[in-house]
Amino acid sequence: MRIDFHVHSKFSRRPSQWILQKLGCPESFTEPRQLYTLARQRGMTAVTISDHNCIQGALEIADLPGTFVSEEITTYFPEDQCKIHVLALNIDTSQHEEIQRLRKNVFELVTYLNREHIFHIAAHPLYAVNDRLTAGHFEQMLLLFQNLELNGARNHRENESIRAIVTALSPERMNELAEKHDLEPAVSNAWQKRLFGGSDDHSSLNIARTHTRIEGAETPEEFFSDPDRYRIGVVSTPATPQTMAHNLYGIAYQFYRDRFQLDRYTDKDMLMRFLDQSLRARREEGGLFSRIYCLWSHRKRLKEKVQVTDSLLQLLRRETDRLIHDQPDLYPTSIPDGKPDFIGQEQKWCSFVTKASNGVMLHFADHLMSSLSGANVFNIFQTIGSAGGLYTMLAPYFVAFSLYSKDRVLSRQLLERFASPDESASGHNPSSSRIKIAQFTDTFYEVNGVALTLQQQLKMAVRNHKQYTVITCDSGERMAMEGICNFKPIGVYELPEYPEQKIFYPPLLEMLDYCYREGFTHIHTSTPGPIGLAALAIARILKLPIAGTYHTAIPQYAQILTGDAVMESLTWKYTLWYYDQLDCIYAPSKATRDELVEKGIQAEKIRLYPRGIDVTRFHPSKRNGFFQKYALEEGLRLLYVGRVSREKDLPLLVDTFRTLVQQFEDLQLVVVGDGPYLEEMKREVEGLPCLFTGYLEGEDLAAVYASSDLFVFPSATDTFGNVVLEAQASGLPVVVSDRGGPCENMTDGHTGKVVPAGDGQAWVSALTGLLENPDQIRRMAREARRYMEERSFDAAFLETWRLYKQDSELQKSAA
């Protein structure tokens, strides 16, 4: 005998998911007789309907063979109103009425069910229906219920946890629980549990996907009269968040299809036909004429151009037309009545939603970035408002992933409490102290301080056997590397002022699914750009702690690049909003921390984190004849390494060098890097002993450092300045501004000098004093190297990991 014990019809009217509440549709829209037909077609030998606190659906099919009346009872632990669900099977009308009278108290309810010999099952016992379920409640459920459900709509990991817990039960353990809760077990052999399967279907799309197989019994009456005689097994195609999302879309579509009689359009409109084929279990094919008309309309719309002012619906319609034309395999032609392809259905729908939403998001994102570049504030808000509608369209996936993640902590806690040592050793019982970090970054393959730091952190994680994955977006062909997950962006925007730094639009749903499957415990974000926003959304949906590093003085960059104070103010507002959403902020310097606190970020949220340097790669021994290939004569060499742009205050360096070179004839300036100020800078120093090498890396970069004499870094916008560490490790004294992070990563008067930012005269004076005293330069060079030897990458990474663990323990304590 095969029975799906947990199926809902249109009489389950009160939806629990907020998205269905907002749409105003019921929890299910399946007709009882349609449900019966589908269950039979899918191999069920008996059929029941278990609506919420209602038996109308079951009564509507009671005249059909192989049926019995059931309901899903909502009941409560009276002391705190923790809500749980119980399936009551094979009941009559009078029993239903008494159940409804007693259901406010689970203890009274279970006493009645046992007295009346009503077969009952604790439905989805690890699902916190109203977010009040605790380990203590579950322990009491073990005492109250002999039968537990492996729910077909819930997380497969939770179902496996229930199996493991049940396997580990013993008479001694049940006695301990009875004493702990002062509650006698409801049955004598309470440690011997029976597991049943039900699909918990609400949309008709997954009826019988999970069901119970009972060997030996031919009718439900036989089984209910003596359930211990028969062998019970659960048959299931495990559900995923995509399963739940597909159901939610199906419920909403079926509701509106009926309410607005949309079936009139399914033979005339390609979008409506596609939705009908994707979101209903029973499908009708239209006539030949209607199909020809639908195809003609579809091709006509393909030729229409997309306008910036198009509504979300118009954009979705065009994107759907394009997808169906370009990828006809997305179109679901039919579902066999006997064995539907459950996984194939939901994957096709997920693929369609992902690609359609990506296309629409690309349109909105390009419009938003164009508005930002043009400082068109009104267009910015208009575009954000329009794109907000896309959130509603994707909400079923966000809801599904959130619900599937919600009970993870409780499940792990119970596994640790009940699972046997063998299960723990096999990895079935993951330790709650495990840390697995997903590091999101907008920049990883570029040549900048943030990217270089992340690359080194990844190497340290591999070397120290830490679970650390860098998640990024890049449109180039990149070699697969351990610890990197590189997503193909849905679009790329190139900043005219910053051509080497592209903005990638991340595929949110793909990233969300990846993070869910990988089981990350922490999210870390490096920047507040599009990928940082994706990280924030994913952390909130999966209910994970999120931390972030404030690497770059973004508002100051916005002002320098656009010259617009309004854009700087808007950027500050966005930056502060973004970082204020994080649980913890890692700042690279005290100056950065103080600036964030001054702007309104809570000081207790900010941590100073250590930064390290590769003291083997950057070393004074790398000094060689590197500059000979540039035909550069011997002399005192000032070195600058970094982005060649105005925000680094390089015009001040040009003026300073022009003054110094008149006093020191053998003085030279070497500039390593590229950027928008490069050509202008070359013109300004034309005729002076100045070398521009472009980007350098590897041993060439190490040799440039070691072969120079003094490092100059006038920038006042750097939050850290990794190049300052590299220079000191190479044995160079450093001269830096008194604003930002670089001045905190050297020792004034010992490894270099700190000079007031933007003060040209002070820079000339400081450099003159050093250049006139070669012995002081040599002394500072030795101290710079000794100072860096204490800041190896390994030491810095392990200290950072210690901070992660410390914050993780604090968050767990707070929870």
Side-chain angles (χ1 to χ4, degrees):
M1 188 167 62
R2 293 175 181 268
I3 308 175
D4 184 347
F5 281 114
H6 193 165
V7 193
H8 294 270
S9 77
K10 67 179 183 180
F11 292 100
S12 288
R13 292 190 175 97
R14 298 182 64 183
S16 55
Q17 276 76 44
W18 67 266
I19 183 65
L20 296 180
Q21 294 170 2
K22 290 294 184 184
L23 294 174
C25 64
E27 189 170 15
S28 177
F29 211 73
T30 309
E31 292 288 341
R33 289 190 175 252
Q34 179 196 8
L35 187 157
Y36 177 87
T37 300
L38 286 169
R40 285 291 205 177
Q41 288 173 344
R42 295 176 183 180
M44 299 300 99
T45 57
V47 180
T48 191
I49 294 176
S50 47
D51 285 317
H52 288 294
N53 305 304
C54 169
I55 59 173
Q56 287 173 267
L59 291 174
E60 278 201 13
I61 63 170
D63 60 314
L64 300 174
T67 62
F68 55 96
V69 176
S70 305
E71 69 177 307
E72 184 176 14
I73 310 161
T74 302
T75 185
Y76 303 83
F77 283 93
E79 66 273 13
D80 57 8
Q81 294 301 294
C82 172
K83 184 189 294 188
I84 63 170
H85 289 166
V86 180
L87 298 174
L89 310 175
N90 198 30
I91 61 175
D92 58 33
T93 303
S94 62
Q95 289 172 328
H96 161 68
E97 292 173 354
E98 186 64 11
I99 284 170
Q100 291 305 302
R101 189 181 72 83
L102 297 171
R103 72 181 181 88
K104 295 297 182 183
N105 186 317
V106 66
F107 302 106
E108 294 178 3
L109 173 68
V110 169
T111 298
Y112 171 76
L113 294 174
N114 285 328
R115 186 173 67 243
E116 290 292 305
H117 303 291
I118 296 173
F119 196 87
H120 54 283
I121 304 169
H124 43 67
L126 285 181
Y127 172 48
V129 180
N130 62 347
D131 294 327
R132 297 185 181 183
L133 186 70
T134 65
H137 292 123
F138 179 78
E139 289 175 345
Q140 292 179 77
M141 290 170 70
L142 291 177
L143 294 165
L144 290 169
F145 299 101
Q146 186 173 21
N147 306 310
L148 306 177
E149 181 193 38
L150 302 182
N151 187 274
R154 305 308 310 163
N155 193 326
H156 180 62
R157 289 179 301 181
E158 267 64 72
N159 286 334
E160 289 304 299
S161 296
I162 293 169
R163 281 190 186 275
I165 291 167
V166 166
T167 302
L169 292 178
S170 64
E172 294 76 19
R173 193 58 188 274
M174 296 306 295
N175 288 336
E176 291 173 10
L177 294 179
E179 185 174 341
K180 175 181 177 181
H181 295 285
D182 191 22
L183 178 65
E184 284 298 313
V187 295
S188 57
N189 55 339
W191 66 92
Q192 295 176 340
K193 303 298 183 187
R194 292 185 291 240
L195 298 177
F196 292 84
S199 67
D200 202 359
D201 177 82
H202 291 73
S203 66
S204 77
L205 294 171
N206 289 284
I207 293 171
R209 176 179 180 137
T210 296
H211 60 270
T212 304
R213 184 185 68 246
I214 304 171
E215 296 182 11
E218 294 186 1
T219 66
E221 291 73 19
E222 277 186 33
F223 171 72
F224 292 132
S225 65
D226 190 4
D228 288 327
R229 286 180 54 196
Y230 304 102
R231 185 176 176 183
I232 303 165
V234 176
V235 180
S236 180
T237 300
T240 65
Q242 287 86 346
T243 309
M244 176 175 280
H246 191 212
N247 276 333
L248 292 173
Y249 282 109
I251 294 166
Y253 172 71
Q254 292 165 33
F255 169 68
Y256 281 114
R257 184 181 189 273
D258 181 82
R259 182 174 181 178
F260 297 111
Q261 298 179 330
L262 298 179
D263 55 310
R264 296 174 295 168
Y265 305 105
T266 53
D267 291 337
K268 303 179 182 67
D269 183 274
M270 184 62 76
L271 174 59
M272 293 306 304
R273 176 184 286 268
F274 179 80
L275 294 175
D276 212 58
Q277 293 290 323
S278 299
L279 300 175
R280 294 181 66 233
R282 295 177 67 93
R283 302 163 183 166
E284 300 85 17
E285 287 292 337
L288 177 62
F289 177 77
S290 65
R291 278 182 278 176
I292 292 173
Y293 176 81
C294 182
L295 184 61
W296 175 78
S297 300
H298 166 67
R299 289 182 174 175
K300 180 182 177 182
R301 278 198 305 271
L302 279 173
K303 298 177 182 179
E304 297 175 358
K305 292 184 178 180
V306 177
Q307 303 296 323
V308 169
T309 56
D310 280 351
S311 69
L312 177 62
L313 181 59
Q314 289 171 313
L315 290 168
L316 283 171
R317 181 181 294 281
R318 288 196 179 92
E319 195 61 30
T320 302
D321 288 336
R322 184 188 64 78
L323 283 171
I324 294 172
H325 180 269
D326 294 346
Q327 301 179 47
D329 58 310
L330 286 177
Y331 198 88
T333 52
S334 65
I335 293 181
D337 287 331
K339 291 186 177 180
D341 180 12
F342 294 113
I343 295 177
Q345 292 175 59
E346 64 202 33
Q347 286 181 344
K348 277 192 174 184
W349 177 253
C350 183
S351 180
F352 161 72
V353 172
T354 299
K355 291 174 180 177
S357 60
N358 283 352
V360 175
M361 183 57 74
L362 176 60
H363 174 84
F364 283 137
D366 279 342
H367 190 211
L368 176 63
M369 293 308 301
S370 297
S371 300
L372 283 169
S373 295
N376 192 328
V377 177
F378 294 106
N379 274 358
I380 291 170
F381 290 116
Q382 179 186 3
T383 306
I384 291 173
S386 300
L390 194 60
Y391 173 84
T392 303
M393 189 191 112
L394 296 175
Y397 281 103
F398 301 152
V399 168
F401 276 100
S402 180
L403 287 174
Y404 268 57
S405 301
K406 184 171 69 170
D407 303 317
R408 175 181 51 224
V409 174
L410 177 62
S411 176
R412 286 178 180 168
Q413 180 184 353
L414 288 166
L415 272 174
E416 291 176 351
R417 188 174 297 189
F418 285 95
S420 67
D422 290 341
E423 287 162 338
S424 299
S426 67
H428 184 74
N429 177 22
S431 171
S432 59
S433 62
R434 175 185 68 109
I435 291 181
K436 186 174 184 180
I437 295 173
Q439 172 82 58
F440 282 75
T441 177
D442 290 88
T443 173
F444 183 77
Y445 297 103
E446 292 78 7
V447 181
N448 58 49
V450 177
L452 291 173
T453 298
L454 292 174
Q455 291 163 15
Q456 287 298 330
Q457 282 186 330
L458 183 58
K459 290 178 183 177
M460 294 303 105
V462 172
R463 183 184 301 172
N464 291 283
H465 309 291
K466 303 297 184 184
Q467 296 188 81
Y468 176 89
T469 301
V470 172
I471 296 176
T472 188
C473 259
D474 190 82
S475 56
E477 293 295 326
R478 306 292 183 181
M479 287 182 57
M481 292 176 59
E482 183 181 0
I484 299 175
C485 184
N486 181 29
F487 286 89
K488 182 179 179 181
I490 63 176
V492 182
Y493 188 87
E494 297 187 12
L495 290 168
E497 303 88 353
Y498 215 147
E500 70 271 30
Q501 179 66 64
K502 298 178 177 63
I503 292 179
F504 299 108
Y505 308 147
L508 176 59
L509 282 183
E510 294 174 39
M511 287 180 162
L512 175 61
D513 180 57
Y514 174 78
C515 290
Y516 171 80
R517 287 186 288 105
E518 287 296 311
F520 292 110
T521 62
H522 292 71
I523 301 289
H524 195 104
T525 172
S526 293
T527 48
I531 297 175
L533 280 173
L536 178 59
I538 290 168
R540 292 291 174 257
I541 292 168
L542 298 184
K543 304 186 187 309
L544 296 174
I546 179 170
T549 306
Y550 188 82
H551 280 292
T552 307
I554 296 173
Q556 292 91 324
Y557 273 45
Q559 197 282 327
I560 292 168
L561 293 174
T562 66
D564 191 323
V566 174
M567 288 306 297
E568 181 185 15
S569 176
L570 281 174
T571 307
W572 259 123
K573 283 181 169 59
Y574 165 73
T575 301
L576 293 172
W577 169 84
Y578 178 83
Y579 281 97
D580 203 36
Q581 305 307 304
L582 308 183
D583 300 308
C584 181
I585 304 165
Y586 289 92
S589 64
K590 184 178 181 298
T592 302
R593 181 188 63 188
D594 293 345
E595 181 180 34
L596 292 175
V597 171
E598 183 182 345
K599 292 290 185 179
I601 299 292
Q602 299 174 22
E604 55 268 25
K605 290 179 68 170
I606 305 175
R607 308 276 187 278
L608 288 179
Y609 75 99
R611 290 280 287 268
I613 188 68
D614 188 340
V615 294
T616 303
R617 178 187 170 199
F618 297 102
H619 196 279
S621 64
K622 301 292 179 73
R623 189 177 185 99
N624 57 28
F626 178 81
F627 290 112
Q628 292 177 1
K629 62 182 177 181
Y630 293 100
L632 195 65
E633 296 181 1
E634 287 298 321
L636 279 170
R637 297 188 181 105
L638 302 182
L639 175 67
Y640 169 85
V641 178
R643 176 172 160 77
V644 184
S645 57
R646 285 185 171 273
E647 74 265 18
K648 300 294 185 182
D649 216 356
L650 292 186
L652 179 145
L653 180 59
V654 168
D655 292 340
T656 300
F657 179 67
R658 188 181 288 119
T659 301
L660 291 173
V661 80
Q662 296 175 9
Q663 182 179 354
F664 302 95
E665 295 181 357
D666 62 343
L667 189 64
Q668 302 164 357
L669 175 63
V670 178
V671 177
V672 177
D674 201 349
Y677 180 60
L678 179 62
E679 295 305 318
E680 184 179 351
M681 188 176 183
K682 285 181 178 180
R683 289 193 297 271
E684 290 178 353
V685 297
E686 190 173 357
L688 299 178
C690 191
L691 171 65
F692 294 88
T693 68
Y695 278 131
L696 294 177
E697 57 185 356
E699 288 302 308
D700 283 348
L701 180 60
V704 163
Y705 275 119
S707 301
S708 300
D709 299 292
L710 201 58
F711 186 76
V712 286
F713 198 70
S715 173
T717 59
D718 277 70
T719 58
F720 185 79
N722 205 61
V723 289
V724 174
L725 298 186
E726 294 171 352
Q728 292 175 96
S730 303
L732 267 68
V734 295
V735 183
V736 300
S737 78
D738 62 352
R739 273 194 273 169
C743 61
E744 296 179 34
N745 290 288
M746 49 83 66
T747 305
D748 189 22
H750 295 277
T751 68
K753 282 192 175 184
V754 177
V755 185
D759 187 338
Q761 186 56 47
W763 275 82
V764 169
S765 176
L767 286 169
T768 299
L770 285 172
L771 294 171
E772 289 178 341
N773 192 343
D775 289 339
Q776 186 180 18
I777 291 178
R778 285 190 288 270
R779 177 179 56 79
M780 285 183 167
R782 290 191 296 270
E783 293 197 30
R785 175 61 196 180
R786 281 196 295 270
Y787 179 49
M788 286 299 102
E789 285 173 351
E790 302 170 1
R791 302 186 62 167
S792 69
F793 264 131
D794 284 277
F797 176 79
L798 291 174
E799 175 61 17
T800 303
W801 200 266
R802 187 191 65 79
L803 290 174
Y804 277 134
K805 291 197 70 172
Q806 176 181 303
D807 287 328
S808 175
E809 292 302 320
L810 288 173
Q811 288 160 359
K812 276 204 298 182
S813 299

